[in-house]
Amino acid sequence: MADIRLSQVEKRYPNGAHAVRGVCVDIADGEFVVLLGPSGCGKSTLLRMVAGLEEITEGEVAIGGALVNDVSPADRDIAMVFQNYALYPHMSVFKNMAYGLINRRFPKEEVRAKVEAAADMLQLRDYLDRRPHQLSGGQRQRVAMGRAIVREPKAFLFDEPLSNLDAKLRVHMRVEIKQLQRRLGITALYVTHDQVEAMTLADRLIVMNGGVAEQIGTPLEVYERPASAFVATFIGSPAMAMLRGRVDGGALRLDGQPAGLPSGALKAPDGPVTVGVRPEDLRLAEDGWIAGRIELVEHLGADQVLHAALDGQGERLIARFAGAESLPADGPVRLAADPAKLHLFCPESGRRLAA
Amino acid sequence: MKRAQFGHSPIPYLFVGPQLAIIVVFFLWPAGQAVYQSFLLQDAFGLSTRFVWFRNYEDTILNTVWLESAGFTLLFSALVSFFSIAVALLLAVRANEVIHAANAYKTLLIWAYAVAPPVAGLIGGLMFNPFIGDLYHLFNAAGWDFNHTRDGFDASFMVILIAVWKQVSINFIFFLAGLQGIPASVQEAARLDCRSDERRFWTITFPLLAPTSFFLLVINVTYAFFETFGIIDVTTRGGPGGATNTLVYKVYTDGFLGADLGGSSAQSVILLLMVLGLTVLQFRFIERKVHY
Ligand SMILES: Nc1ncnc2c1ncn2[C@@H]1O[C@H](COP(=O)(O)OP(=O)(O)OP(=O)(O)O)[C@@H](O)[C@H]1O
Ligand SMILES: [Mg+2]
C-alpha cells in the first residue's frame, strides 16, 4: 500500500508520437483513481509508465515515496490486470497465481496458503488445476485478478480489464473489483473509456485528451464543473449541448438576440463564449431563449429525449425530460435553462470561464 | 460423435490422384525396389543374381566400417541438431528484442536459408581451402594445427560447422515466428512477476516455444541424417579415412561407386528404420512434454 506521485510526466515514442504531455497527479494511499478519455489519448501509455513497461521520457514517477523511474517492473511491487488477461497459457490456474510469489522466493506452504485464500475470495477454488483455455471469459478475468491480489502489492494497475466481458458480467465484476479494492485498501489506477465504469468506480477521475490531463477531480466535480469544453462533452450521456453566444455586460446573447437572462446573471468577461447546457437542465418554455426545430423525440419509458436543430446556429442539441408529458413530434420548439446551470467556456482555448 | 456423411462422388479421388501417383512412383515403388534388392546378391559383373535372404543385412551390421559410420552419424546428427537449434534460438530471441533496424538484422540472418546444401558445402569448402580459405588460416594463425584433409577430428568439425551454418537460418525463421506468436502482454505480465531475464526465458518463453522446438527437432534430425549429403559430397567425400562418412553417404558410395546394390539397399533400409525409430521415440517421449 502506497501513494503514487506523477510529476510532469512526458512520453515520446521513438516514432515521434507525443503520447503523454506533462501529467501531474498525486494519488493518495488507498485511493481508486480512474483514467478516462477517448481512444488514443495516452491512458494506457501513462499506466504502462507507472508499471515500468514503458520508459519515462521526462518527469518523475514515485511509488510509496520512492522514485521508480529506473526501477524494473518486478521491483516496483505493483500488479497489473491486462485487457486480454495475459494469463500464462501453459500453466494451471494455481501456477498462474503462484508464479509471482515463487519468483519472490516465498516458502512453498505460504504460496499455497496465499493462492488458496485468493482463490476462495474469487470463487476459483474448483478451477485451480485447470489451464486458462479451459475457463470462461469471466473466470479468466478472475484469475487475472487473483494473480494481482496474491502478491499484496503496493498498487493495482488495470488496463480496461472488463472490456472483453458481456454487459451483465461487466456490471457484476465492476462491483466486485470495487469491493475488493475497498476491503484490501490497495491504491488503484484504472484505465477505461467507459463513462459509467469511471463514474461508479472512481474516488477521483483523470480525464485525458491528446496526452494532457484535462481535469482531475471527483466524478461529481467533473460532472458538475467540467474544466473544459472537451470534458463537458465527453462526460455525460447524452452529451451536453454546446451553443455559440456572446456575453455583453453580464447578459448572454444568442445570435445577437438577448437570451432574456437578467443582466449580471453571468460572471464572465464580455466577448464570445461557448455555452454548455446539460440535457437534463433544459426545460420547455413558451418564451424560452433557445429556439429550434424538433427533429426526433425518443420515449425511453421514464424519460423522453428530444433532438432539436437550433435556429441560426446549425448546431444540434439534446434535451431530456423526466415523465411522459406529451411532446410534439416535430415543429418549432423553445427551451430555457436556469442561468446557474449554464457552463461557459472560452471558444478558443475551450477552458472554463469563471461562472 | 456422428459425423455428417455426404454422398460419395469420384471427384475427391480425382483431386488426390496426382499426389498419390507421385507418392507411388517416387517413394513407394523405389522403396519397394530397395527392399527387394536388399535380399539379392549380385556378382561383380552383374551377370548373375541370387536371393540370399538376410545375408546383406548381416554383412552390414557386422561390418566395422558400417558400425563406425553409424556411430559417427549418430554423433554428427546429435551435434548438428543441437547446435542448429540452440544457435537459432539464441539469435531469434536476441533479434526479437532489437528495435532499431530490426528488419535488416532479420533479413541478414534469414538469407542463408536460400542456400542449397551443396552450395553451402562449396562456400564452406572455399572458407576452409588450405590455400585461400580464411577460416583455415584463421584457425592456424590462432595456434590450432588445423588440417581437415588429414585429421578426422578437424574434418568432422568442419562439416558440422557448415551443416549448422546452413540450418540455423531456417530454424531462426521458425523461432522468430514462434516468438512473435507469444502475446506481448503475456511477456509483460511475466516482467511484473519475475525479475530475472534468464528465469523468465526458461519458465515462460521456452515452454511457449516448445511446439516450435519439437517440430524443429524432428526436422533437424532428418536434415542431419539425409540432407547433409550434399555438404559432405562437396567437402570431404567422407574422408579422411572415413572420418566423416555418414550412413547416407556410405549408401551412395557403396551402391553407386562400389556397385554393391544389394548391400547398399540393405544399408538404406536400415537407415530408414533408424530414422523412423528415432522419430517415433521423439514423438513418444518428448512430445508429451509439449503443451500446444
Ligand atoms: N509503441 C508505440 N509506438 C508509437 N506510438 C505509440 C505506441 N503505443 C502507442 N502509441 C501512440 O500513443 C498514443 C496513445 O496510445 P495509448 O495506447 O496510450 O492510447 P489509449 O488511450 O490507451 O487508447 P485506447 O483507449 O484505444 O486503448 C496513440 O496516439 C498511439 O498511436
Ligand atoms: Mg489503451
Side-chain angles (χ1 to χ4, degrees), chain B residues 21-64:
Chain B
I22 286 171
I23 291 176
V24 170
V25 172
F26 291 101
F27 181 73
L28 291 182
W29 189 67
Q33 282 285 310
V35 173
Y36 174 63
Q37 289 277 351
S38 70
F39 292 115
L40 301 180
L41 187 65
Q42 277 186 335
D43 69 79
F45 302 101
L47 294 176
S48 68
T49 305
R50 265 190 311 142
F51 194 80
V52 293
W53 285 108
F54 290 96
R55 262 274 306 278
N56 287 326
Y57 288 90
E58 271 170 43
D59 288 350
T60 299
I61 321 183
L62 297 178
N63 186 333
T64 49

Side-chain angles (χ1 to χ4, degrees), chain B residues 138-162:
Chain B
L138 181 75
F139 288 149
N140 278 293
W144 177 4
D145 182 19
F146 184 91
N147 189 337
H148 60 87
T149 57
R150 271 189 277 114
D151 187 291
F153 177 84
D154 294 357
S156 311
F157 175 84
M158 179 182 77
V159 286
I160 290 173
L161 192 73
I162 299 172

Side-chain angles (χ1 to χ4, degrees), chain A residues 211-223:
Chain A
V212 177
E214 293 245 342
Q215 186 169 12
I216 302 174
T218 65
L220 225 61
E221 272 169 26
V222 172
Y223 190 80

Side-chain angles (χ1 to χ4, degrees), chain B residues 13-182:
Chain B
Y13 298 102
L14 230 65
F15 283 115
V16 293
Q19 181 68 33
L20 286 178
I22 286 171
I23 291 176
V24 170
V25 172
F26 291 101
F27 181 73
L28 291 182
W29 189 67
Q33 282 285 310
V35 173
Y36 174 63
Q37 289 277 351
S38 70
F39 292 115
L40 301 180
L41 187 65
Q42 277 186 335
D43 69 79
F45 302 101
L47 294 176
S48 68
T49 305
R50 265 190 311 142
F51 194 80
V52 293
W53 285 108
F54 290 96
R55 262 274 306 278
N56 287 326
Y57 288 90
E58 271 170 43
D59 288 350
T60 299
I61 321 183
L62 297 178
N63 186 333
T64 49
V65 175
W66 186 86
L67 286 175
E68 271 168 24
S69 170
F72 173 72
T73 306
L74 288 177
L75 185 69
F76 173 81
S77 303
L79 291 174
V80 167
S81 309
F82 175 79
F83 283 109
S84 317
I85 291 179
V87 171
L89 181 57
L90 185 78
L91 289 175
V93 169
R94 287 281 173 247
N96 201 38
E97 288 165 358
V98 173
I99 298 167
H100 297 288
N103 284 332
Y105 286 108
K106 288 171 189 166
T107 310
L108 285 175
L109 285 164
I110 290 168
W111 164 86
Y113 171 50
V115 177
V119 179
L122 211 66
I123 297 172
L126 282 174
M127 303 277 283
F128 282 100
N129 185 298
F131 300 106
I132 56 162
D134 290 332
L135 281 176
Y136 184 89
H137 290 304
L138 181 75
F139 288 149
N140 278 293
W144 177 4
D145 182 19
F146 184 91
N147 189 337
H148 60 87
T149 57
R150 271 189 277 114
D151 187 291
F153 177 84
D154 294 357
S156 311
F157 175 84
M158 179 182 77
V159 286
I160 290 173
L161 192 73
I162 299 172
V164 168
W165 175 77
K166 158 78 190 94
Q167 190 65 5
V168 158
S169 60
I170 184 167
N171 293 352
F172 173 81
I173 297 173
F174 278 101
F175 275 130
L176 201 61
L179 280 171
Q180 285 170 356
I182 301 177

Side-chain angles (χ1 to χ4, degrees), chain A residues 48 51-52 73-75 78 80 82 84 86-91 99-100 103-104 131 147 151, chain B residues 99-100 183 185-195 199-200 203-205 207-208 291-292:
Chain A
R48 291 163 54 79
D75 293 330
I78 38 104
M80 184 154 166
F82 294 81
N84 63 359
L87 301 177
Y88 309 124
H90 58 298
M91 294 184 188
Y99 183 67
N103 289 325
R104 286 176 173 76
R131 294 278 193 71
R147 193 168 64 180
R151 287 204 349 240
Chain B
I99 298 167
H100 297 288
S185 59
V186 169
Q187 296 277 20
E188 288 173 350
R191 276 172 66 193
L192 293 173
D193 272 346
C194 179
R195 172 181 314 125
R199 203 181 143 67
R200 212 163 54 232
T203 50
I204 304 285
T205 314
L208 290 178
H291 306 300
Y292 290 103

